[in-house]
Amino acid sequence: MSDLFEPTDAHDRDLALRAPAPLDAFNAAGVITAADIHVATTVGRLGGESDPDVLLAVALAVRAVRHGSVCLELAHVATLLDDLGLPWPAADQWGAAIERSPLVGLGVLHWEHGLLYLDRYHEQETQVLDDLAARASTRPGLDAELLAASLARVFPDEGYAEQRDACAHAAGAWTSVITGGPGTGKTTAVAGLLVALHEQAQARGEHLRIALAAPTGKAAARLEQAVRDRAAEFSDADRARLADVSAMTLHRLLRQHPGNRTRFRHHRGNRLPHDLVVVDETSMVSLTMMARLLEAVRPDARLVFVGDPDQLSSVDAGAVLTDLVRGYESRPDSPVAALATTRRFGAEIAALADALRVGNADAAIEVLRAGGQAIEWVTDTDPASAIRATALPAALAVRDAASAGDGVKALAALDRHRLLCAHRDGPFGVRHWNRRIEQWLTAETGDPLHEAAYLGRPILVTANDYALRVFNGDTGVILDTPAGRRVAVSTGSDPLILAPSRLGDVETMHAMTIHKSQGSQADVVTVLLPDQESRLLTRELFYTAVTRARSKVRIIGPEVAVRAAIERQAQRASGLRARLATHR
């Protein structure tokens, strides 16, 4: 139950000083915060609702959104609260109180199928459902013979049959979803689809206007580079069709209004001009952003979602890609094409990833115990020696290349090993292990590492800078050059060399959070599992961490933590999945 409750103490800012019963008891137990109570009581006062059961439900609904859910699943919460001894109402009594609440009559709350929504998120979920249904009501015209010829040309190898089929599927629908785990060739499929649809447009005497987008700047840069890398293998004519393709963030595509995080200049009254919009890393797209995107894309433009539904979801409310994949899976007209064959890692890591994906803890433990060249499991109580044995040589290799002023080698060395943590703080957190590794470096080299631009410092960019073309999630290394200290930033091709002072928001990256690692990869990945009670420890987190590895993954943590991670799925309540399955 640790995913529901937050510890409090007498000086905790989340502890309300004056809260009505029974909200005070739930607040004291760490179930809801002072902010949740403030929203619930204010809404109740304005809407004429004083029933404490309804106010408790409102507070829990606010908390649910804050933790990534679109709505509150009352039966699930009641089950979790059962053992607390708190004065919560029976589920049927609770539901009846909500149903007759004036807040429902006013449209402030929505109560459907045991789910309680705040109005904003109910409106967004309904809009997404309606827009998807409208887009699925018609199909684009196609020259089937030309499409088959295009795909046969760009994917002549039978090893890419999955990509061919996915492209054919996507070309025949206004909305489609291409899913698959890491290394299954999703961006390869995207490159082929762009060529095929470009050729369709040329045959009609038209020019295909393409937009490639992703939730973050780093993901957008990776998408653009991956498409260009694949295009390099195409013929001159096909490569020329993709010569002008570039990628950007979703916020930049939709043109965000200054001072408003959720409203954009492109909307239902001012549609995007593009004929094809491809969104990569869709698992990181929130419900709000999905609603804004769907209202901005023209009804007669293709929209292709690409991503892995088993990875971590958006930091904001919603797990839209997972809802799309699961909601459509029982429908014969499903727009989802799944890629299964991975090319990133070998059979051992694939077996572990599969066990994590389906939630088979026994199979995962068996793979870990068997070990092998690609799997190592460390269960020591103190992980310092195991981490030092790998992290210190990796940091020294980066420092040696940086000392020689070789940005290419320094960045390559940086990608040989990655230490991933679930938390930012605490004994299992990024900040702690960054300091420990710096201490080991000082002991080894004699360099005190006091200055921010110390030699060999690995950095992680945490804010977009479009002028420099440096994005949140980019990595770099501080070099020693004849001109002084410089930072080499990885761009996918030649490194970008900048003065360290030109970079704004950066962090040290001897270790990084699993959330920040999403979309990246390294030869060897060390995954430091937190205590089994950590509310961040979930199957999705574990799967995302393991699948960052290309050749070897090292898991550090006891069996109880491994099992806790696999058995605990990230619970994000949403009605979209069920509504998609039945909505026509």
Side-chain angles (χ1 to χ4, degrees):
M1 290 189 293
S2 61
D3 62 330
L4 183 65
F5 309 117
E6 300 167 344
T8 59
D9 58 46
H11 304 288
D12 196 321
R13 67 180 181 181
D14 290 330
L15 192 62
L17 298 179
R18 292 179 297 277
L23 277 68
D24 57 348
F26 283 85
N27 178 233
V31 178
I32 54 178
T33 67
D36 301 331
I37 293 172
H38 176 70
V39 172
T41 54
T42 301
V43 167
R45 184 174 65 254
L46 295 175
E49 176 59 84
S50 58
D51 188 327
D53 291 348
V54 176
L55 297 182
L56 175 60
V58 174
L60 288 170
V62 174
R63 183 199 185 280
V65 169
R66 186 160 44 82
H67 283 259
S69 290
V70 171
C71 54
L72 178 70
E73 187 176 359
L74 212 62
H76 176 65
V77 172
T79 300
L80 291 175
L81 294 174
D82 198 32
D83 297 328
L84 280 184
L86 292 172
W88 63 275
D92 55 349
Q93 174 189 336
W94 210 353
I98 293 169
E99 192 168 8
R100 63 174 178 264
S101 171
L103 296 178
V104 172
L106 291 169
V108 177
L109 301 178
H110 295 265
W111 173 245
E112 295 181 2
H113 311 297
L115 301 176
L116 179 64
Y117 293 84
L118 303 177
D119 178 60
R120 170 184 174 181
Y121 295 96
H122 183 269
E123 178 187 7
Q124 289 175 358
E125 187 177 280
T126 301
Q127 181 210 312
V128 167
L129 185 73
D130 291 345
D131 283 344
L132 288 172
R135 293 177 59 80
S137 63
T138 62
R139 302 184 75 83
L142 273 178
D143 183 331
E145 290 186 4
L146 179 60
L147 177 65
S150 300
L151 295 178
R153 186 179 67 251
V154 294
F155 297 126
D157 188 337
E158 277 307 306
Y160 288 100
E162 288 182 347
Q163 282 72 19
R164 265 201 312 271
D165 292 343
C167 288
H169 194 74
W174 292 121
T175 308
S176 57
V177 184
I178 299 176
T179 71
T184 51
K186 297 186 293 294
T187 50
T188 295
V190 168
L193 179 65
L194 298 184
V195 169
L197 293 181
H198 216 301
E199 199 165 12
Q200 292 276 323
Q202 285 180 324
R204 298 191 301 269
E206 301 171 358
H207 174 71
L208 186 71
R209 292 166 292 183
I210 299 171
L212 302 183
T216 68
K218 177 66 173 177
R222 283 196 304 267
L223 172 62
E224 180 178 329
Q225 188 61 44
V227 169
R228 292 191 184 283
D229 288 346
R230 181 60 191 174
E233 303 175 19
F234 293 162
S235 68
D236 290 344
D238 288 336
R239 192 162 53 250
R241 291 185 171 103
L242 304 185
D244 297 329
V245 169
S246 62
M248 66 189 78
T249 65
L250 283 169
H251 282 80
R252 201 173 192 197
L253 173 69
L254 298 178
R255 298 183 63 200
Q256 187 172 359
H257 271 298
N260 191 324
R261 292 182 63 246
T262 61
R263 287 294 173 183
F264 300 89
R265 297 177 190 239
H266 285 290
H267 46 72
R268 210 173 297 279
N270 181 31
R271 304 274 193 172
L272 289 166
H274 306 93
D275 307 301
L276 170 65
V277 178
V278 178
V279 181
D280 197 17
E281 298 289 359
T282 309
S283 65
M284 294 192 283
V285 177
S286 68
L287 176 66
T288 298
M289 180 56 77
M290 181 62 72
R292 299 295 172 255
L293 175 66
L294 282 168
E295 70 182 14
V297 176
R298 296 194 341 257
D300 60 343
R302 288 180 176 84
L303 179 57
V304 182
F305 299 119
V306 184
D308 183 351
D310 298 305
Q311 287 189 19
L312 289 164
S313 299
S314 165
V315 295
D316 295 319
V320 183
L321 179 63
T322 301
D323 286 341
L324 292 177
V325 173
R326 308 293 180 241
Y328 280 126
E329 62 187 359
S330 61
R331 291 177 53 164
D333 59 343
S334 171
V336 179
L339 306 178
T341 305
T342 183
R343 294 171 174 84
R344 174 178 293 183
F345 38 66
E348 293 171 344
I349 298 178
L352 178 58
D354 286 343
L356 298 180
R357 182 175 52 80
V358 301
N360 190 332
D362 290 337
I365 294 295
E366 184 178 344
V367 173
L368 289 172
R369 284 178 176 159
Q373 291 186 336
I375 301 284
E376 182 181 349
W377 187 17
V378 179
T379 59
D380 297 346
T381 305
D382 182 1
S385 60
I387 292 174
R388 188 182 193 279
T390 305
L392 179 57
L396 289 170
V398 172
R399 190 179 189 277
D400 288 344
S403 180
D406 194 327
V408 173
K409 285 187 177 179
L411 291 169
L414 186 62
D415 282 342
R416 291 191 194 118
H417 177 258
R418 193 81 80 237
L419 172 60
L420 302 181
C421 306
H423 293 268
R424 293 186 60 81
D425 299 302
F428 300 99
V430 165
R431 288 194 176 100
H432 172 79
W433 289 103
N434 273 327
R435 287 193 300 268
R436 289 293 299 272
I437 294 169
E438 286 179 338
Q439 290 167 0
W440 295 333
L441 274 170
T442 293
E444 189 75 18
T445 66
D447 188 341
L449 310 184
H450 291 321
E451 59 186 35
Y454 68 76
L455 180 63
R457 181 192 178 195
I459 63 166
L460 176 69
V461 177
T462 58
N464 294 332
D465 187 327
Y466 291 103
L468 293 178
R469 288 194 59 82
V470 173
F471 303 109
N472 182 12
D474 279 346
T475 57
V477 176
I478 302 294
L479 310 176
D480 203 3
T481 74
R485 293 289 163 86
R486 293 291 184 268
V487 57
V489 180
S490 178
T491 63
S493 53
D494 293 333
L496 181 64
I497 307 297
L498 300 167
S501 60
R502 297 190 68 187
L503 291 179
D505 299 321
V506 298
E507 298 175 352
T508 301
M509 202 195 74
H510 293 294
M512 71 187 304
T513 63
I514 296 170
H515 277 83
K516 286 284 189 180
S517 76
Q518 193 161 351
S520 66
Q521 54 187 298
D523 293 338
V524 179
V525 168
T526 298
V527 183
L528 179 60
L529 295 179
D531 184 270
Q532 66 267 23
E533 295 301 321
S534 167
R535 67 180 181 85
L536 295 182
L537 190 60
T538 63
R539 184 186 306 172
E540 292 82 1
L541 185 93
F542 200 1
Y543 170 86
T544 300
V546 165
T547 53
R548 301 309 93 207
R550 282 189 290 251
S551 59
K552 182 174 183 176
V553 62
R554 178 183 295 102
I555 307 299
I556 299 181
E559 181 174 338
V560 65
V562 171
R563 289 188 177 275
I566 297 170
E567 292 166 3
R568 185 186 301 141
Q569 277 192 282
Q571 298 293 335
R572 293 205 166 192
S574 162
L576 183 60
R577 183 181 311 187
R579 296 169 78 181
L580 278 171
T582 58
H583 194 79
R584 294 293 189 273

